Amino acid sequence: MLLAVLLPFIIAIIIPFLSKWKDKIHPGYFVTIIPALIFIYFARFLGSNFEPVMREYSWIPSLDINMVFYLDGLSLLFVLLISGIGALVAFYSIFYLHKSEQLGHFYVYFLLFMGSMLGVVLSDNVFVLYSFWEFTSLSSFLLIGFWNYKKESRYGALKSMLITVFGGLSLLGALVFMTVLTNTTSIQEMISQQQLILNSEYFPLILALLLLGAFTKSAQFPFHIWLPDAMEAPTPVSAYLHSATMVKAGIYLVARYSPMLSSSDWFFIIVSSVGIITLCWGSYMAVRQTDLKGILAFSTISQLGMIMSMLGFGTKVAVFAAVFHILNHATFKGSLFMVAGIVDHEAGTRDIRKLGGLMTYLPITATLALFGTFSMAGVPLPFLNGFYSKELFFDASLHLDEIANVGVVGFIKMLLPYLAVFGSIFTFVYSVYFFFGTFRGKSHLEELPKKPHEAPIGMLISPIILILGVILIGLFPKWINEPFIAHAASAVKGLEVQKEIYFWHGFLYPPLIMSITVLVFGTVLYLSRKQWAPVYRIIPGVLSMNKFYDGLVDRLETYSSTVTKGYMNGSLGRYVRLVLAAILIVTFAFMAITGGFTVDTSNLADVSLPEIFVAITMVIAAVGTILTNNRITAILILGVVGYGLSMLFVLYRAPDLALTQLIIETVTVALFLLVFYHLPKLRKKEEAASTRMLNLIISVGFGAMMTMIAISAHSSKWFESISSYFIDNTYKLGGGDNMVNVILVDFRGLDTLFEIVVLGIAAMAIYGLIRLPGKKEEK
Amino acid sequence: MTRTNDIILRTTTTLIAFILLGFSIYLFFAGHNKPGGGFIGGLMTSAAFVLMYMAYGFRSLQKILPINFRFVIPVGLIIAVATGIGSFIFGEPFLSQTFAYFQLPVLGKTELATALLFDLGVYLTVIGVTMTIILTIANDRGEER
């Protein structure tokens, strides 16, 4: 099983080498074989006596992160969808993508995506799941931006990336929470310990984070906005990612965790209402679109909302219908995207206002579209699988027996059937609109960039297979029910679910009445759509989540650049102020909180007259340095401070220091004079009074702080000084009388070694700055 | 550039420079037992050189001391590091110093310490650094500008 998951990744390494010969043979042929093989491998598991399989491969055992693959009914459904539709899409793309495209890139991304999607649905380890989850975001980003020379592609790719990664990170949060609570990284073990999570005080947070991850990935309201923009991708990508696989990853996640979470009322409230809102909003907005893929994008959003709301219901019927509809939606939506791709390819445009009357030119495509759209609309015909799941959906919305009848829950429960019918009416309208707008009516051939003709047979094979699936599932639902759907539904529900699928329940069967209502109202609305179309100007009108998203991204950029420019204005004076003020505030706060300021006068030495004299001289010189306007004066006065310091060293009996200080001070003053010979005259900078006040406060505060630290440090001596060791051993061990020198060259020779290294580096740097030829500055 | 006739400065310099050099060498050798050491000794030696430079100019200084002071820095550093590494030969940790007393022909009983070698490294480095910095900046007439 590991090989089955890793095979796409391995082949993805090889593909670039194959694409060298793309002029002779299209690399798509090789790529088609891979998902077909995976499909065959997993199809062997089908059968009514299917039992879950678990395989474990070590990855990071010390962190309990291992490649654990768990294949139950739900995983099997998804694996077969991913590999089956993957093979069809790969085959379709051979005829869709011309050899002049960067085919190597395309198939590498495609295979990476397929492999990571397989990983998502098979992983039992939450962190492996998360890794594959992010990998799908990444590879879909690459696929959406495949035509990276188009601005819209880049915009769409970035948007989907930002939204899905936002969700992915919150999913990681939820997974970490659950791992910590249950002390396991296995999903199945988490589900078996569900009480721990349900009763935890973090449960609302876990639920919110988990659902945020699922909703963003599955394009639920209000995170649906990335999906219509992702339509800039090549059509095979849209067919694969945005109808069958990636957008269902969120559905998979909710389904996977629903045995654990569905007993909570909040799960029902959030998932059902978000799902049903997405259903209504998606189908309502789809009617407004003029681009074929735009219609399909909003249709996908709405269908995903429908599946999501059924998962939210959590009853046996609902779960069964949800799983069934996952399969149905993948078949007809995949084929419809391919149809849209064919129309685009053969007529040169996807704008439905320019299209029309293509039935005579593209008869096979039109037939396929007819089955696809009518199945999507849920027209009650016995060979359309969409009708079955739609009827089960109505049935489920009417029979929420397991749900309590009180409060918010009761209110939502009461509204659900009406909203379901409302959403389905619009589903009907856009489905019919898609078909009739493209293939019936007057044709405007002169407006089309190309003269339309039927697609090559290779391009038609994949949608034909999918539509055959639609019809076969419609005609013989039992074939796939028992060995397949029932297992998947049982895995989601956590109990045995056996639901029979019938076409005919009798005339008084309420869901049938709802279906007929949809049919009637849908027809009326479709025929009168010119009359009520202005309603879109009121709802959504100017309101749009896209505007919100664009504004948010825009504002994040402008605000952060405003903030950065606000404090990073390039003025060194300001940076010094900021650094000093930060040190000042932190140190004062720390001292105030810990009571660190102590004064202890018991250990002070007497002050002698020469010391007072030197100190006063130094203070006067220091103040003079600040007040002078002349650079040379400032340096000379600063020299007074330096010589005063060496006087203090003399007074405190440090001859070595005094000598060094004396010479160094002389050298420094001389150097300053040499350097400033070149500098322009010191100008008094005109600064605002408030800045000068601030400078004064900061510098006085900093001085006060350092004084306080010095006093406190002197007042709290906690240990004996180690100097007695040096006094005792300087002669014995070092062989010298000069303790300072012995410490410098013997006891602490390493410090000295690196100090002279520092000196050497400084000299070299000065030499380099002045002598080595640099770039001549332009005047 | 024409120079004024500063004969007094030059005459005194010839005298003072030798006193300074002598004093700096005293400081260097006395360091272990009296105030002084490689650092101060090095600074004092460079002070003597700087005095010579100020009195006679760069060309004369180069003629008297045909040394590129930039290469004095690595020599000093190598000596300092080598004394540190030398202690490995005797199986001691890096930079272990030792000392012993010897009977030398002229000086009599003398203490010789390995620390003096280390101090020599410091001494040479300091001379190299000071002279490099001062001569580099002083000779910068801003040709590039």
Side-chain angles (χ1 to χ4, degrees), chain B residues 133-145:
Chain B
I133 294 176
I134 289 178
L135 291 182
T136 308
I137 295 180
N139 282 333
D140 178 32
R141 290 279 168 264
E143 297 96 337
E144 293 97 339
R145 268 157 278 222

Side-chain angles (χ1 to χ4, degrees), chain B residues 57-129:
Chain B
F58 185 61
R59 273 166 207 281
S60 317
L61 185 70
Q62 258 188 336
K63 221 175 268 174
I64 307 164
L65 294 167
I67 305 168
N68 191 338
F69 288 103
R70 263 178 297 139
F71 296 125
V72 179
I73 304 173
V75 171
L77 287 177
I78 288 168
I79 292 175
V81 174
T83 49
I85 293 174
S87 55
F88 289 145
I89 300 172
F90 304 99
E92 295 286 322
F94 187 63
L95 272 179
S96 301
Q97 310 287 10
T98 184
F99 63 94
Y101 295 94
F102 296 97
Q103 202 67 39
L104 290 183
V106 186
L107 300 168
K109 186 189 173 201
T110 315
E111 178 203 354
L112 288 181
T114 53
L116 195 70
L117 283 172
F118 184 76
D119 239 3
L120 181 68
V122 177
Y123 177 78
L124 290 176
T125 312
V126 170
I127 293 176
V129 167

Side-chain angles (χ1 to χ4, degrees), chain A residues 48-106:
Chain A
S48 45
N49 53 353
F50 170 75
E51 286 291 322
V53 187
M54 196 176 242
R55 292 269 187 286
E56 196 170 337
Y57 308 92
S58 290
W59 185 22
I60 317 174
S62 57
L63 293 178
D64 201 10
I65 299 176
N66 291 310
M67 293 273 183
V68 183
F69 296 123
Y70 180 73
L71 183 74
D72 63 353
L74 184 66
S75 308
L76 188 62
L77 168 71
F78 273 94
V79 164
L80 290 180
L81 276 182
I82 291 161
S83 54
I85 296 184
L88 296 176
V89 167
F91 190 69
Y92 175 81
S93 68
I94 296 171
F95 301 93
Y96 185 85
L97 287 175
H98 194 257
K99 280 174 183 168
S100 58
E101 303 270 9
Q102 290 185 305
L103 293 176
H105 292 208
F106 180 80

Side-chain angles (χ1 to χ4, degrees), chain A residues 723-745:
Chain A
S723 56
S724 59
Y725 171 81
F726 293 120
I727 295 169
D728 293 342
N729 291 305
T730 299
Y731 192 75
K732 243 190 306 186
L733 297 176
D737 289 327
N738 183 348
M739 194 166 82
V740 175
N741 191 272
V742 171
I743 289 175
L744 281 179
V745 298

